[in-house]
Amino acid sequence: MSGAPVTARRPRLNVGYGSWDLIWSFVHRVLVVNLGLAAANLPLLVALYVAHQPWRYPVFFGLLSLGIGPSLAAVFGYLRRADDDERAPAAELPRAYRRLFGRALLRWTPCVLLIAMAATDVAVLRDSAWGLALAPLLVVAVLVTAGSGIVAMATLAYDAPHTRGRPLLAAAYALLRRWPLGLMNLGLLAVALVIVNQAPLLGLAVVPGCVLSVVWHNSRAMIESTAPAAAGADGPDGAATRPDDRAGTRR
């Protein structure tokens, strides 16, 4: 028998070209989203960096937070384009920002006002006899309003026929219909805010794009669930189904 040593082969990572292309496409989308989100909300980020206790300036930061809605709508618009084209150009995000800014701001502002009112009531009533009873309701109102606002921005980007003209109502209905996805969106965004707060540079460079990609797909599923049902009025291809068009119909 030969006493030659047997050398163990090192495991090799064999990834196909298609897999690498998918990975780099995802990395490209994440970087574009992170850069666009940071650029659109630069005044808010600078103010948060300078102010050590931002809750002491609710009006100032409330006004700055109005820009979050249009930036979210632009991100969702870019991600919708990326769903159809994995190599969607980065210029699509500023185009979506210009196209959706007015409508997004118009629909995001009521959400910010409702959240500010509910948060103010919680702060005022926390030491009163009504605080214990009303605080949970106000917290739920804040969560529903925030979740509806996020879905409303996705609704503008999705631009489905059944949501045109009433995106806030459609968003609230979609949120209540698929509330587990809404809670997941809020939970992911809360975790992202904590990570960015603890490590601002690293967090802004990595986290927002990954989280918003999941939030977009969840929101899209929520919006699609509110579309008119195919059964009954519509057929599988969206065309109306009449009784005498069905196979086997008796004349």
Side-chain angles (χ1 to χ4, degrees), residues 90-104:
E92 181 62 27
L93 197 149
R95 291 196 199 104
Y97 188 80
R98 290 194 300 267
R99 185 177 71 252
L100 301 174
F101 180 84
R103 288 178 292 165

Side-chain angles (χ1 to χ4, degrees), residues 68-206:
I68 297 176
S71 64
L72 284 177
V75 166
F76 292 147
Y78 171 77
L79 292 176
R80 174 163 175 75
R81 173 69 182 275
D83 288 341
D84 300 328
D85 180 12
E86 293 182 356
R87 299 181 180 273
E92 181 62 27
L93 197 149
R95 291 196 199 104
Y97 188 80
R98 290 194 300 267
R99 185 177 71 252
L100 301 174
F101 180 84
R103 288 178 292 165
L105 184 62
L106 185 64
R107 289 159 178 82
W108 184 255
T109 301
C111 298
V112 174
L113 291 177
L114 287 175
I115 292 174
M117 292 172 58
T120 302
D121 290 341
V122 170
V124 171
L125 297 174
R126 62 182 179 181
D127 295 329
S128 66
W130 292 93
L132 187 61
L134 294 180
L137 297 178
L138 293 173
V139 171
V140 171
V142 169
L143 294 177
V144 172
T145 303
S148 299
I150 294 168
V151 179
M153 298 303 101
T155 302
L156 287 174
Y158 193 79
D159 195 24
H162 68 283
T163 61
R164 292 172 184 169
R166 54 184 192 279
L168 280 179
L169 292 178
Y173 177 65
L175 179 71
L176 295 177
R177 184 182 176 90
R178 301 292 296 275
W179 60 267
L181 293 179
L183 285 180
M184 181 186 296
N185 287 347
L186 293 177
L188 289 173
L189 291 172
V191 171
L193 288 176
V194 172
I195 295 175
V196 171
N197 182 62
Q198 296 297 320
L201 293 179
L202 183 61
L204 287 173
V206 177

